[in-house]
Amino acid sequence: EAQVTQNPRYLITVTGKKLTVTCSQNMNHEYMSWYRQDPGLGLRQIYYSMNVEVTDKGDVPEGYKVSRKEKRNFPLILESPSPNQTSLYFCASSSIRDTEAFFGQGTRLTVV
Amino acid sequence: DQQVKQNSPSLSVQEGRISILNCDYTNSMFDYFLWYKKYPAEGPTFLISISSIKDKNEDGRFTVFLNKSAKHLSLHIVPSQPGDSAVYFCAATRDDKIIFGKGTRLHILP
């Protein structure tokens, strides 16, 4: 089954404690991206990757890092989380040739 | 600066009638426009897309219309069904980036 898997689904952490949200896809997609969804703001792109070792900033990259060492994985790293990063995060993947993106189930992060 | 705008936060439509969701954009350089549907506690799922060189794309009950001169696109759902109740996001792509609107919550009334 084609899918994008994010872990964890829920996470509560404290300010400043580094965390990683993992994302994995099994469709051999080149393009992967991270979004955050906040009330009244919709989905905003954080980072995206066109392929292995190729990453670029989206619209709201501050406070986040990503890496793309393998095609299937695209982890989102928060080196020093702050309360304003409390949000619902989605990972997505797509083929370069297609417009359709597949989204993960989401990770609800709370930073206290 | 909001490049993709969905000005209606919510919309209620009677079951069986047509649902029309609207989206405006400001950047004429967008390549593709897409609609995603999102249920609570799930990730968005792709619904339909349209290239910037076309003005209409149809897929079953879903039709997207693009009016480039007005920088406006709309999603028509005919007939509306209870399972269509969800949040709908309009999105546009440019230079490998995807920009989403804030979403419109559609309620299908029995």
Side-chain angles (χ1 to χ4, degrees), chain A residues 4-106:
Chain A
V4 177
T5 304
Q6 294 178 229
N7 279 298
R9 292 289 310 279
Y10 302 92
L11 178 60
I12 300 174
T13 190
V14 295
T15 299
K17 186 176 180 182
K18 180 179 178 179
L19 67 92
T20 299
V21 184
T22 64
C23 174
S24 180
Q25 50 96 1
N26 63 359
M27 295 164 279
N28 202 35
H29 285 161
E30 299 88 359
Y31 189 97
M32 296 185 75
S33 55
W34 277 100
Y35 301 86
R36 59 179 289 175
Q37 183 186 5
D38 301 290
L41 296 175
L43 286 158
R44 294 179 294 169
Q45 193 174 42
I46 302 170
Y47 267 94
Y48 64 96
S49 169
M50 297 289 288
N51 215 323
V52 175
E53 302 292 1
V54 180
T55 64
D56 210 342
K57 295 177 181 178
D59 293 315
V60 288
E62 295 78 21
Y64 305 95
K65 282 175 56 176
V66 292
S67 71
R68 189 89 183 273
K69 293 184 169 52
E70 307 164 279
K71 200 171 187 179
R72 63 182 292 125
N73 295 323
F74 190 46
L76 179 69
I77 303 154
L78 284 73
E79 294 272 0
S80 182
S82 62
N84 65 12
Q85 292 178 298
T86 292
S87 186
L88 178 59
Y89 292 86
F90 289 101
C91 177
S93 76
S94 62
S95 168
I96 290 290
R97 294 178 185 81
D98 298 330
T99 55
E100 175 182 355
F102 294 81
F103 281 78
Q105 293 277 71

Side-chain angles (χ1 to χ4, degrees), chain A residues 31 37 40 45 57 99 101 104, chain B residues 34 36 38 43 49 96 98 102:
Chain A
Y31 189 97
Q37 183 186 5
Q45 193 174 42
K57 295 177 181 178
T99 55
Chain B
L34 309 94
Y36 284 83
K38 185 182 181 303
S49 66
D96 304 319
I98 303 175
K102 295 183 179 182

Side-chain angles (χ1 to χ4, degrees), chain B:
Chain B
D1 177 32
Q2 204 182 335
Q3 297 188 57
V4 177
K5 300 177 187 178
Q6 293 178 258
N7 292 318
S8 299
S10 67
L11 175 68
S12 295
V13 174
Q14 207 78 34
E15 182 180 353
R17 299 284 184 103
I18 181 172
S19 294
I20 300 176
L21 296 109
N22 293 305
C23 180
D24 297 302
Y25 61 94
T26 58
N27 191 332
S28 57
M29 301 299 289
F30 286 132
D31 308 308
Y32 275 90
F33 301 90
L34 309 94
W35 286 94
Y36 284 83
K37 176 179 177 179
K38 185 182 181 303
Y39 293 119
E42 294 184 13
T45 55
F46 172 77
L47 207 52
I48 192 168
S49 66
I50 186 167
S51 164
S52 60
I53 62 173
K54 297 194 173 179
D55 52 25
K56 178 182 175 182
N57 189 25
E58 195 171 349
D59 184 2
R61 295 187 298 116
F62 303 94
T63 304
V64 57
F65 296 92
L66 177 62
N67 182 336
K68 286 183 282 295
S69 60
K71 293 193 177 71
H72 176 84
L73 68 155
S74 60
L75 173 68
H76 293 213
I77 307 173
V78 181
S80 299
Q81 298 175 353
D84 296 330
S85 291
V87 176
Y88 289 79
F89 290 100
C90 168
T93 65
R94 170 184 57 86
D95 298 333
D96 304 319
K97 291 185 180 181
I98 303 175
I99 299 170
F100 284 84
K102 295 183 179 182
T104 296
R105 184 175 297 279
L106 176 63
H107 301 271
I108 303 301
L109 306 170

